[in-house]
Amino acid sequence: MKILTIDLEDWFHILAHSETERPEQWERFESRVERNTDRILEALDQRNIRATFFVLGWIAERFPELVKRVGEKHELACHSYSHQLLYKQSRKEFAEDLKRCISTIEQVSGQKLRIYRAPGFSLQRDHHYIFEELCKNKIEIDASVFPAVRNHGGIPGFPFASPCLIKGSNFLIKEFPMSTSSLLGKQIVFSGGGYFRLLPYSIIRSKMKSSEYVMTYFHPRDFDPEQPMIQSLPMKRKFMSYVGLKGSFEKYSKMLDQFPHTSIGQADESIDWTGVPVVHF
Ligand SMILES: [Zn+2]
């Protein structure tokens, strides 16, 4: 099962960086999200692939036509309104942001939202209240668990890198975590972000082949070598943000040609949830 997901945000939606982390800073940047997303949509159309798009409420508010267009053929999901790290928000702030995201996207698209992904996979082990709020807001599926070490959050000891149920005293949610793979003794995510752009296609292909479950995550900016570079990013983040932009669309197209991909909704239908493991939170 290879699942295709796109986080629908712009080139300046870079977390935890003083020049780009707050919504009031975003208005002054020139957007590139429409042209970059249209290129992605075209590639999916040509191959008849349905993907899941995790949309920022902020984007849906400014580009309603784009989000409507995406929603005509693809599944829309919630990626928060203002793209803030979960562990920097209070429960109240999280709940308000979530509600605003869901209502904005639902209003624009007419689709009911039932899937969520946290900004930057910033979900942590003590975030049971996040799941409580998701369930209160009729979210049935989460895709926020990053079962490896990560700069922002991540749950390194999480027991599964494949679909499972997460259960708390007053919630039950279906989880589609990121898939991980080992590279030189380290658990990495090859199916999105810096590693996807950095690794040669031969490695991506062999990892795709040998993994039964792959959760991908791409952004429109991942395929845009012309985007402005944020010069003040620390060296390592700059490298991981901009490495391999030139060849990435070609690599991504090859991957789509060689491996069938589905949306989270399609994957959900194909799973017998009575047989999947349960993680207690
Ligand atoms: Zn994001």
Side-chain angles (χ1 to χ4, degrees):
M1 175 190 304
K2 322 284 191 234
I3 302 177
L4 188 65
T5 74
I6 315 283
D7 294 356
L8 190 51
E9 47 189 72
D10 222 316
W11 63 272
F12 46 82
H13 287 121
I14 304 251
L15 288 152
H17 182 62
S18 59
E19 280 181 31
T20 54
E21 65 194 353
R22 293 191 310 278
E24 58 272 24
Q25 297 169 309
W26 301 340
E27 302 291 354
R28 65 188 158 93
F29 297 118
E30 197 189 324
S31 172
R32 299 176 67 83
V33 74
E34 283 198 281
R35 75 187 97 173
N36 287 339
T37 306
D38 280 336
R39 192 172 174 214
I40 290 175
L41 290 177
E42 204 180 305
L44 297 180
D45 244 8
Q46 286 164 358
R47 295 166 178 84
N48 220 355
I49 296 172
R50 182 170 161 88
T52 300
F53 282 73
F54 287 95
V55 182
L56 279 190
W58 189 89
I59 289 280
E61 210 167 72
R62 273 150 195 87
F63 303 97
E65 291 305 319
L66 172 68
V67 172
K68 221 187 274 175
R69 205 150 69 231
V70 172
E72 275 163 18
K73 295 203 174 148
H74 301 280
E75 178 172 54
L76 299 179
C78 173
H79 189 43
S80 84
Y81 179 86
S82 62
H83 211 236
Q84 299 299 303
L85 294 165
L86 296 188
Y87 52 82
K88 291 204 170 169
Q89 285 181 313
S90 66
R91 178 173 185 157
K92 190 168 169 267
E93 285 169 335
F94 169 74
E96 284 170 7
D97 181 277
L98 176 68
K99 278 193 177 44
R100 191 173 176 194
C101 176
I102 294 173
S103 69
T104 309
I105 299 168
E106 287 187 347
Q107 237 171 49
V108 159
S109 67
Q111 264 191 44
K112 274 273 159 230
L113 264 53
R114 61 181 196 113
I115 309 175
Y116 172 81
R117 172 178 286 158
F121 298 100
S122 54
L123 186 81
Q124 293 180 321
R125 191 65 186 84
D126 57 354
H127 277 157
H128 54 89
Y129 66 88
I130 299 285
F131 290 122
E132 289 171 7
E133 293 295 339
L134 292 176
C135 291
K136 254 197 232 168
N137 287 280
K138 302 197 166 53
I139 297 289
E140 300 161 12
I141 297 175
D142 176 67
S144 307
V145 169
F146 194 97
V149 179
R150 182 170 176 77
N151 282 343
H152 319 295
I155 308 181
F158 195 81
F160 304 103
S162 56
C164 55
L165 290 164
I166 295 185
K167 193 175 170 15
S169 55
N170 52 358
F171 67 85
L172 180 68
I173 197 160
K174 294 170 179 173
E175 177 65 40
F176 283 84
M178 275 312 295
S179 48
T180 58
S181 176
S182 100
L183 184 78
L184 306 171
K186 199 177 153 193
Q187 283 303 108
I188 63 139
V189 167
F190 68 88
S191 49
Y195 279 112
F196 179 84
R197 284 178 273 113
L198 180 67
L199 294 171
Y201 183 67
S202 55
I203 294 186
I204 302 281
R205 189 186 56 210
S206 95
K207 290 200 172 292
M208 289 291 283
K209 257 191 188 164
S210 59
S211 314
E212 203 186 303
Y213 168 76
V214 178
M215 170 62 80
T216 64
Y217 80 105
F218 296 103
H219 305 84
R221 65 173 174 269
D222 291 335
F223 309 120
D224 180 8
E226 250 108 84
Q227 66 187 290
M229 194 183 269
I230 297 160
Q231 296 297 347
S232 55
L233 275 176
M235 196 79 132
K236 189 182 164 201
R237 283 196 75 188
K238 208 190 258 178
F239 178 74
M240 288 309 265
S241 301
Y242 303 121
V243 66
L245 286 173
K246 239 185 183 157
S248 60
F249 195 74
E250 201 190 322
K251 208 189 278 184
Y252 161 81
S253 305
K254 253 195 226 169
M255 183 189 81
L256 294 184
D257 283 338
Q258 292 185 346
F259 299 94
H261 281 75
T262 66
S263 66
I264 291 180
Q266 288 169 322
D268 174 36
E269 279 170 29
S270 74
I271 293 173
D272 172 10
W273 288 95
T274 55
V276 310
V278 180
V279 178
H280 293 269
F281 241 65

